[in-house]
Amino acid sequence: ERCGVAGVSFEDKLFPKTNSFLDGVGGAQQDLADVEEFCLKLRACKEAQANPHFNIVARVEALIAGAGMEEALYRAEEYRKAGADAILIHSRQKDPSEIVEFCQAWDKKIPVIIVPTTYGIGVSKDEFYDAGASLSIWANHNMRASVNAMRETSRQLYKSEQVLPALEEKIAPVKDIFSMMNEDEMSQAELKYTPAAKPSIVFNDANTEAQSQKYHGCDFTPNKNINPDLIIDSLVKEGSNFFAGVPDSLMKTLCESISSSQELTNVIAANEGTAVALATGHYLATGDVPVVYMQNSGLGNAVNPLLSLVHEDVYSIPMLVVIGWRGELFDEPQHMVQGGCMEKMIGDMGFESIVLPVSTDVAAADAVRAAHEQALHNNAPVFIIVRKNTFGGSKRVGTCEKKDLNGPFSSTGMSRLDAIKSIDALCPKKEWVRVCTTGKASRELYETTANDKSGDLEDMLVVGSMGHACSIAQGVALGMEHKDIRSKSVLCIDGDGSVIMHMGSLSQAGQLKTPLLHIVLNNGTHESVGMEASAAADPDSMSLTGVASSCGYEAVQIANSFEDIAKFVADFNQTEVRGPWLLEVRIGISDPGSPLLRPKETPKQRKEGVMQHIAN
C-alpha cells in the first residue's frame, strides 16, 4: 500500500505454495488454509489499511484442490464477510463450465476475478462477463510467447550463423530495450549533476527547447538566470493576482518581486497552513486561481488544509503552490530529510507538480502558465517546485541605503547578536536550560558560545520546526518538574516570526502556568528570507506583550536597552515564579548577509548533550 500498488491478492493455501497446475503434492492433493485463520488475516489487513482505494483480493483454491463447488462458495462467502474486496476463483479444467457455474451461483456479491489459463481458449471476455466475472487476467501468455520466440531465434542463429534480415525484422530494436530500462533516467542525472561548463550532452538548436521541457526543470544546473519579475507578471496576466505565503530564503528574490509588485495583493501569512486557507477564501469570493508560496520545510504546516480543505475530493479548490526545494542536494540535516521526501509527499497527497525549468525565462514562464491551466482544469492545487539558485535579482527592488542598523526598531541601537551576547551573560548555561529558535538566532547563540569557549552542546538549538521553540521549552519545564530538577531555570530565546507562526503556544504556556523565561527578539522583519516586514513590525497593530498578557503570562515587558534586559532577568531570578514571563526585546537588523558559524555537531549529538545538561 505504501509503495503505491493498487491491491494485493492472498491465496488460501498452506506454505510452501506451489503452482496450481502441478500434479501430485502441488496439485489436487494440496492442502488448503484453515478458513477461520485465513479470515482473521484478511480482517487484520483491512483494519490496518490506510488508503480506502486499496484492494484486498481473496484467492479461492477449493476448485484447484478438488474440494468441490460447495466448499469454494463457502470459502468465498466467509472471505467476503471478513472484508475481502474481491474474490479470485481458479480452475484446472480445460473448459469454462466450472468457472461459469461458480460465477452464476455467486451472483456478483462482490467482484469476481478469473485467470483463464487453461479454460479460456476460444472463450471471449463477454461470455465470462455475462456469467458474472468482473476481471480477466491472462497471467502468463506473454512469457510463454517469449519462450517460443527465443527458441526460434536461437534455432535460426545456430543454423545460419548470422543475423538474417528476416530475423532482424522480427525482433525488437535496441532502443526499445533502452526505453524499457528507463535509460532516460541516466540522461536526466547527467544533465542534473554535470557542471554547466562541461555538458555531457550537446543539444542542437532544433531540440534544445524540447529537451528542456522533457526534463521538467532538472535540465541544467540552476545559475540564477530566471527573471522572477517575469514569472510573477506571467501569473498576474493569467488572472492570479492574490498571493499568500511565508517567505523563503531559497526564493528570496521571487518573494521580493511579489512584495514589490503593484499589480497584486500579497499577504505574508502567519504560517503555511493559514496561507492555504487565505487562498481558499479568496478563490471562493473571486473564482481566480490564487498563489501560495512557501519553503518545503513548511509543507507540514500546510498538509491539513491541503488534504481536508482544498483537495479535489473535498472542496476541490484550484491554486498554485510555489515551493522552494531545500535539501534537493547537500544541505543541513533537517532540510535533507524534508527535501528527500517532498516530491513523494506531494504525490502521495494526490497533487500534481512540476519542477520549474531553469534553462530560459521562456521555458519557465511557459511551465508556470501550463501549471495554472492544469490547476483550473483539475480544480485542485498544482505544485511548482523551485530549485536552489533558480532566480536572479528582481528589478522591482531598489537599492536600500546601507546603515549600521536597519528595521523598524533600529533606534534601540541593539542588534540581535548584541542582545544574544547580553542574554548569554545574564543567563549562563550552568544555571539555565536554553532553548533557541530556528534560524539566525540559534546560529548567533552557537557562535557566541563557540567564541567564549563555554561549550557547544548544552543549548537546544531548534534547527527546524519554526514556531515550536516555546512549546519545546514548555515541555522541558514540565519534564523537569516531573523529575524534580530544580537546579536550573528554563529559557526560551524566540523570534517575532516564530512566535507569530504558532501563537497558540502562548495560550498553552499561560494555561499550563509553565515557569519559563520567554525572550522574544523582535526586529519586525523576516530577515533571512527577503526582509519583508512581520506582523510585529507595527506595535500599534499588534502587541506581542499584549497578546502574552491576555494569554495568562505572569509578567510581560518591552526592552529597548541592555539595561531593560538585565533588570527583567534579575526580577525573574529574584521572584518565586509561578508562570511564564515574556520579554520583548526590540532590535535592529545588522548586515543580514554576514557569515555565521553553523553547528558542526549532528542533531543527535546535541540531543545527548542537552539531555545530559538537564540531568546534571
Side-chain angles (χ1 to χ4, degrees):
E1 183 180 5
R2 289 194 297 269
C3 293
V5 298
V8 64
S9 174
F10 291 92
E11 186 170 337
D12 62 348
K13 288 181 180 177
L14 295 181
F15 181 84
K17 168 189 156 40
T18 56
N19 189 278
S20 300
F21 296 105
L22 291 176
D23 293 326
V25 175
Q29 303 303 314
Q30 185 167 4
D31 293 328
L32 298 176
D34 178 77
V35 172
E36 181 181 9
E37 180 183 358
F38 192 76
C39 288
L40 290 173
K41 289 180 179 179
L42 293 174
R43 187 173 302 166
C45 293
K46 293 302 292 184
E47 291 179 358
Q49 181 177 330
N51 184 345
H53 303 296
F54 188 79
N55 290 283
I56 293 178
V57 178
R59 175 166 168 166
V60 178
E61 290 285 287
L63 300 180
I64 291 289
M69 186 63 63
E70 185 177 347
E71 179 69 14
L73 290 167
Y74 163 71
R75 284 175 174 266
E77 176 63 14
E78 292 302 304
Y79 301 161
R80 181 190 70 81
K81 292 177 182 178
D85 298 298
I87 297 296
L88 192 158
I89 185 70
H90 207 13
S91 172
R92 294 161 52 93
Q93 301 301 313
K94 301 295 185 182
D95 64 79
S97 58
E98 194 173 46
I99 291 296
V100 170
E101 180 184 352
F102 176 90
C103 290
Q104 291 174 341
W106 181 249
D107 197 25
K108 299 182 180 179
K109 294 178 182 178
I110 57 175
V112 172
I113 302 171
I114 61 173
V115 187
T117 301
T118 60
Y119 59 79
I121 301 172
V123 183
S124 72
K125 67 175 180 63
D126 291 336
E127 293 179 62
F128 289 122
Y129 180 80
D130 291 340
S134 298
L135 174 67
S136 294
I137 300 175
W138 288 275
N140 52 42
H141 294 77
N142 286 344
M143 179 185 69
R144 290 156 57 196
S146 68
V147 171
N148 274 347
M150 286 188 283
R151 282 175 176 166
E152 177 60 21
T153 299
S154 298
R155 187 190 65 78
Q156 291 188 26
L157 287 171
Y158 180 76
K159 181 179 179 180
S160 64
E161 296 185 343
Q162 62 177 305
V163 179
L164 297 173
L167 175 61
E168 182 65 24
E169 292 176 359
K170 293 180 180 179
I171 61 178
V174 174
K175 66 179 182 179
D176 286 1
I177 307 301
F178 290 157
S179 178
M180 293 172 65
M181 295 167 59
N182 200 18
E183 188 270 342
D184 280 353
E185 182 179 355
M186 178 60 73
S187 298
Q188 285 189 27
E190 289 179 347
L191 287 167
K192 182 176 179 181
Y193 298 114
T194 300
K198 301 177 182 178
S200 60
I201 298 176
V202 178
F203 300 119
N204 58 40
D205 293 340
N207 66 8
T208 298
E209 189 62 28
Q211 291 290 343
S212 170
Q213 294 301 316
K214 178 178 180 181
Y215 292 113
H216 301 291
C218 296
D219 43 359
F220 299 101
T221 301
N223 60 357
K224 300 182 180 181
N225 66 316
I226 301 301
N227 180 355
D229 301 335
L230 176 64
I231 300 303
I232 300 306
D233 292 345
S234 297
L235 286 170
V236 171
K237 188 175 181 180
E238 293 297 317
S240 293
N241 54 18
F242 181 79
F243 289 66
V246 177
D248 171 24
S249 58
L250 188 144
M251 300 189 296
K252 180 177 179 180
T253 58
L254 183 76
C255 294
E256 290 174 342
S257 181
I258 294 170
S259 297
S260 302
S261 175
Q262 302 299 312
E263 305 299 324
L264 57 86
T265 299
N266 176 44
V267 178
I268 297 176
N271 61 56
E272 293 79 4
T274 59
V276 174
L278 280 163
T280 299
H282 196 272
Y283 170 78
L284 292 175
T286 65
D288 297 330
V289 176
V291 180
V292 172
Y293 55 92
M294 66 180 74
Q295 187 181 103
N296 58 353
S297 59
L299 181 56
N301 285 331
V303 165
N304 186 344
L306 283 171
L307 289 178
S308 63
L309 178 65
V310 304
H311 195 280
E312 62 180 327
D313 291 336
V314 189
Y315 278 99
S316 192
I317 306 293
M319 63 179 62
L320 294 178
V321 182
V322 184
I323 185 166
W325 194 355
R326 289 294 301 267
E328 177 200 5
L329 303 175
F330 183 76
D331 210 325
E332 298 299 313
Q334 70 276 15
H335 292 304
M336 292 298 292
V337 172
Q338 186 73 58
C341 66
M342 178 192 67
E343 287 185 295
K344 186 174 187 302
M345 281 182 66
I346 294 171
D348 286 348
M349 288 190 289
F351 299 121
E352 296 189 21
S353 66
I354 64 164
V355 179
L356 189 70
V358 298
S359 55
T360 65
D361 287 338
V362 172
D366 286 347
V368 167
R369 284 191 287 268
H372 185 279
E373 182 178 345
Q374 193 66 35
L376 271 176
H377 180 267
N378 294 350
N379 272 318
V382 173
F383 280 73
I384 299 174
I385 300 171
V386 177
R387 302 170 67 199
K388 185 178 181 180
N389 292 330
T390 289
F391 293 113
S394 169
K395 296 180 180 179
R396 284 196 264 265
V397 180
T399 303
C400 297
E401 179 185 355
K402 290 189 176 182
K403 302 178 182 178
D404 291 336
L405 283 176
N406 286 294
F409 305 122
S410 59
S411 60
T412 64
M414 289 188 292
S415 69
R416 182 181 47 245
L417 179 58
D418 292 334
I420 285 176
K421 288 180 178 179
S422 174
I423 294 166
D424 177 56
L426 294 166
C427 305
K429 285 184 179 183
K430 63 180 181 180
E431 300 171 8
W432 293 79
V433 177
R434 307 189 303 193
V435 179
C436 191
T437 190
T438 313
K440 289 191 174 181
S442 279
R443 290 171 62 187
E444 288 181 340
L445 178 62
Y446 177 80
E447 186 168 283
T448 298
T449 57
N451 289 338
D452 64 18
K453 310 298 182 183
S454 62
D456 297 332
L457 289 174
E458 292 88 346
D459 291 322
M460 178 60 190
L461 306 181
V462 185
V463 294
S465 300
M466 183 172 173
H468 293 297
C470 180
S471 291
I472 295 170
Q474 293 171 39
V476 169
L478 292 171
M480 290 171 62
E481 281 188 344
H482 179 73
K483 289 289 188 179
D484 197 28
I485 299 173
R486 303 179 183 274
S487 58
K488 298 181 181 72
S489 299
V490 179
L491 166 68
C492 174
I493 303 174
D494 219 336
D496 52 314
S498 175
V499 169
I500 292 167
M501 179 165 281
H502 290 291
M503 194 171 277
S505 63
L506 300 185
S507 64
Q508 178 178 274
Q511 291 173 347
L512 292 171
K513 300 300 180 187
T514 315
L516 166 73
L517 176 55
H518 190 181
I519 298 180
V520 181
L521 304 175
N522 181 15
N523 61 10
T525 309
H526 294 282
E527 179 185 331
S528 62
V529 291
M531 302 297 290
E532 288 88 351
S534 76
D538 183 3
D540 293 331
S541 64
M542 193 192 81
S543 167
L544 291 175
T545 54
V547 172
S549 180
S550 65
C551 286
Y553 271 63
E554 190 173 285
V556 299
Q557 186 175 315
I558 296 170
N560 291 305
S561 66
F562 298 115
E563 291 75 18
D564 290 342
I565 301 174
K567 185 178 186 306
F568 193 81
V569 173
D571 290 344
F572 182 90
N573 288 331
Q574 295 167 10
T575 304
E576 186 178 349
V577 177
R578 299 182 183 275
W581 287 35
L582 183 137
L583 179 66
E584 176 191 347
V585 181
R586 292 179 175 173
I587 56 174
I589 304 166
S590 58
D591 192 4
S594 60
L596 289 170
L597 290 177
R598 292 186 181 274
K600 62 180 183 295
E601 306 84 9
T602 67
K604 290 181 180 179
Q605 290 173 325
R606 183 162 297 279
K607 176 194 74 173
E608 297 297 330
V610 170
M611 293 179 72
Q612 184 176 356
H613 175 60
I614 294 173
N616 295 335

